[in-house]
Amino acid sequence: MRYLLRKLVFYVAALWAALTLNFLIPRLMPGNPVDLMLSKLATKGPVTPTTRAAIQALLGTDTNGSLWNQYGKYLHQLVSGNLGTSIAYFPAPVSQVIGQTLPWTVGLIGLATAISFALGILLGRAAGWRRGSWIDNLIPVTTMLQSVPYFWLALLLLFLLGSTWPIFPLNGGYDVYSVTPGWNLPFVQSVAYHGTLPALTIVVSSVGGWMLGMRNMMVSTLSEDFVLTAEAKGLTPRRIRSRYVARNAVLPSISGFAISLGFVVAGSIVTEAVFSYPGIGSALLLAVSNNDYALMQGVFLIITLAVLGANLLVDLLYGVIDPRTRARS
């Protein structure tokens, strides 16, 4: 229980620090979302001070009062679920924009990251257990693919599998002309079809790192004394591989997987830009180009919660997998 409480206190403090930075950084940036909105309205007629005050209240950028008052109002709005109004998607609230785009990102990037992790761990375990086999010889190829810039690999696959051989669509999240969004089979099939090529790009570019890390840890763990003791006891090779070697070798990869899951939202920007995918990364790019501070703050908040939540989950899981971590704590 003390281990759990210590972890929770640490992550609550980290969340508070992240929220504070999320409040301060946009206010230190040049530009003003109110001025941007007023410049758009000015093309249709003169803007009165009353209109400016109304827009400031609507966008949550009213600078009247001290910074502490603004900070308190900001925290109160977060607790109540009010993240402000988006300029890029005006008059939609930020929470609605995030709610519509986040499932696309989590479904694509999250699932592809989990697949690449599972595939890399399984291949790395086999390569470390059977050194010199054909699986072990795949590591230079997968490492080479990982070293290729992601956007270049994505463009190459788009050219080959989307243009030269039109197997997959070039852009979009689903066929907007022939299917209706909803929980129906044609829509799900269209989403899976459009997401296959972006997911394939993520898996191809990242599986090599998981495979190499797991393979090296398997080789290192095989030289430990407890493995020799297990062999001397007459345990089967399968039990030694699964319960003794792989279980200890996978621990560093689990920590890396937590970081990867946490940055699923942040890492979606390049993927969604290349494939024109309707996720939260595309929304963030549009927010930056329109100085939409409210939407940027909302997306950064989601990234913060994702990183902290993933790390907390894996910290707790780490304590279950390796009880020694709880003893040290």
Side-chain angles (χ1 to χ4, degrees):
M1 182 59 68
R2 290 181 59 188
Y3 173 80
L4 177 60
L5 290 176
R6 189 179 295 111
K7 290 293 181 182
L8 290 177
V9 169
F10 170 78
Y11 281 102
V12 168
L15 176 61
W16 172 78
L19 292 178
T20 303
L21 289 175
N22 197 26
F23 166 78
L24 291 175
I25 290 177
R27 285 161 175 78
L28 299 176
M29 294 175 61
N32 191 326
V34 176
D35 293 336
L36 181 64
M37 180 67 72
L38 291 176
S39 65
K40 294 180 181 180
L41 295 177
T43 59
K44 301 179 181 180
V47 178
T48 64
T50 304
T51 303
R52 181 182 183 89
I55 292 177
Q56 285 180 331
L58 178 65
L59 299 180
T61 57
D62 189 0
T63 56
N64 294 328
S66 66
L67 190 64
W68 285 108
N69 291 334
Q70 297 179 45
Y71 182 61
K73 182 179 179 181
Y74 165 75
L75 293 179
H76 180 267
Q77 289 177 335
L78 286 183
V79 173
S80 62
N82 180 15
L83 301 179
T85 304
S86 171
I87 294 178
Y89 296 88
F90 187 84
V94 171
S95 57
Q96 179 182 339
V97 176
I98 293 176
Q100 292 175 348
T101 56
L102 184 60
W104 291 94
T105 297
V106 173
L108 172 66
I109 314 295
L111 184 60
T113 301
I115 291 175
S116 64
F117 172 77
L119 185 60
I121 292 301
L122 291 175
L123 292 176
R125 186 181 73 167
W129 187 258
R130 295 188 177 92
R131 283 170 288 177
S133 62
W134 66 271
I135 298 180
D136 197 15
N137 293 329
L138 282 177
I139 290 181
V141 178
T142 57
T143 305
M144 180 192 68
L145 291 174
Q146 186 185 19
S147 64
V148 175
Y150 175 81
F151 67 89
W152 190 87
L153 180 62
L155 292 174
L156 179 63
L157 290 179
L158 269 177
F159 174 74
L160 293 177
L161 301 180
S163 180
T164 304
W165 302 296
I167 301 175
F168 299 105
L170 290 173
N171 53 51
Y174 65 97
D175 189 350
V176 297
Y177 301 106
S178 61
V179 299
T180 302
W183 292 107
N184 54 80
L185 184 59
F187 177 71
V188 173
Q189 290 176 336
S190 180
V191 169
Y193 177 54
H194 281 73
T196 299
L197 190 57
L200 179 63
T201 307
I202 295 172
V203 171
V204 169
S205 64
S206 60
V207 70
W210 300 119
M211 184 177 178
L212 179 62
M214 184 63 181
R215 188 262 183 194
N216 291 340
M217 286 303 302
M218 285 286 292
V219 173
S220 176
T221 307
L222 280 169
S223 62
E224 296 290 341
D225 293 337
F226 65 85
V227 177
L228 181 62
T229 302
E231 293 175 347
K233 289 181 176 180
L235 299 180
T236 62
R238 180 178 179 181
R239 182 178 177 84
I240 294 175
R241 180 186 60 189
S242 302
R243 297 294 299 275
Y244 291 86
V245 182
R247 183 175 180 178
N248 286 275
V250 78
L251 293 177
S253 297
I254 290 179
S255 299
F257 182 58
I259 298 175
S260 299
L261 279 183
F263 282 99
V264 159
V265 178
S268 66
I269 298 175
V270 176
T271 304
E272 295 173 7
V274 173
F275 292 97
S276 300
Y277 200 76
I280 200 170
S282 299
L284 180 58
L285 285 176
L286 188 60
V288 172
S289 63
N290 287 276
N291 290 335
D292 191 347
Y293 295 156
L295 183 54
M296 283 190 283
Q297 278 186 306
V299 175
F300 294 154
L301 175 63
I302 296 300
I303 293 174
T304 300
L305 293 176
V307 172
L308 293 178
N311 279 275
L312 175 60
L313 181 62
V314 172
D315 265 349
L316 300 178
L317 182 61
Y318 213 103
V320 174
I321 298 176
D322 187 4
R324 295 172 298 178
T325 58
R326 291 177 301 188
R328 296 191 191 104
S329 299

